[in-house]
Amino acid sequence: MTPDSGESPAAKRARHEAIGQRALAQCRGYGKLILFGEHFVVYKVPALVGAVSAYTDCDCAFTEEPGLTVVDERPAVPNYKVKKAAEAQEAIQLTLKHLNVDTSKRGVKLTFGGDLCAVSGIGASAAQVVALARAVGRALPLKMSEDEVNAAGYEGEKGYHGTPSGIDNT
């Protein structure tokens, strides 16, 4: 038992894991900062990474009309979303394809929000596709493990980066 709460270390850990699982189930993807080794991680060289508490969230709704509608309400630096629009569209399509969602047969409306600013260097692109993977998983519904969410995020990151590091989507 810990002196401050009367709770055993195992019970405290279980409680914290349950809190973490609930947070992850909220269809969020969190930002990251690669503090050292940013350009070398694609060559499997270690990097020092810091977590960011800001997040992107996603709501996924299936519609009767085939097609894809994206509403992006994330805060952003000026012109970021305009400059990255084609990459974002590709990333979304790759993530949906990975999750076997065909928008030519079933319509999808995605709404992105949260408090993570859409800007390069903070993991915003990965946060977007990870939040998307979680939202699609919830909407279908699929019981996705963190490894499956990570794999979908990695595929989506290819739309933004070609060869992603594999760090931002984890």
Side-chain angles (χ1 to χ4, degrees):
M1 298 230 185
T2 58
D4 54 41
S5 67
E7 185 176 38
S8 74
K12 186 174 185 177
R13 180 182 186 99
R15 184 171 52 83
H16 286 172
E17 286 176 359
I19 291 168
Q21 287 301 316
R22 283 194 305 275
L24 291 175
Q26 293 178 343
C27 304
R28 292 181 175 173
Y30 289 86
K32 292 111 191 139
L33 293 171
I34 301 176
L35 304 172
F36 180 77
E38 179 176 4
H39 296 291
F40 299 103
V41 292
V42 294
Y43 302 109
K44 308 299 182 211
V45 175
L48 180 60
V49 180
V52 174
S53 64
Y55 62 87
T56 294
D57 58 22
C58 181
D59 179 62
C60 173
F62 292 106
T63 62
E64 298 281 328
E65 187 73 25
L68 176 64
T69 302
V70 177
V71 178
D72 192 344
E73 298 174 343
R74 298 174 299 159
V77 298
N79 295 318
Y80 177 86
K81 291 191 266 187
V82 173
K83 289 179 185 176
K84 297 286 188 175
E87 293 173 16
Q89 188 69 18
E90 178 69 13
I92 289 167
Q93 291 292 349
L94 287 170
T95 306
L96 292 173
K97 180 179 178 185
H98 181 81
L99 296 170
N100 298 313
V101 175
D102 184 350
T103 58
S104 70
K105 296 178 180 173
R106 184 179 197 186
V108 178
K109 179 180 179 186
L110 303 172
T111 305
F112 293 99
D115 60 358
L116 180 64
C117 186
V119 62
S120 296
I122 197 163
S125 60
Q128 182 183 34
V129 293
V130 166
L132 167 59
R134 288 195 172 113
V136 170
R138 178 182 277 178
L140 282 175
L142 296 173
K143 177 99 171 128
M144 294 175 64
S145 69
E146 283 303 299
D147 286 340
E148 291 167 320
V149 171
N150 181 35
Y154 184 81
E155 288 304 310
E157 271 283 78
K158 290 177 182 178
Y160 278 104
H161 301 295
T163 306
S165 68
I167 288 180
D168 288 345
N169 53 281
T170 57

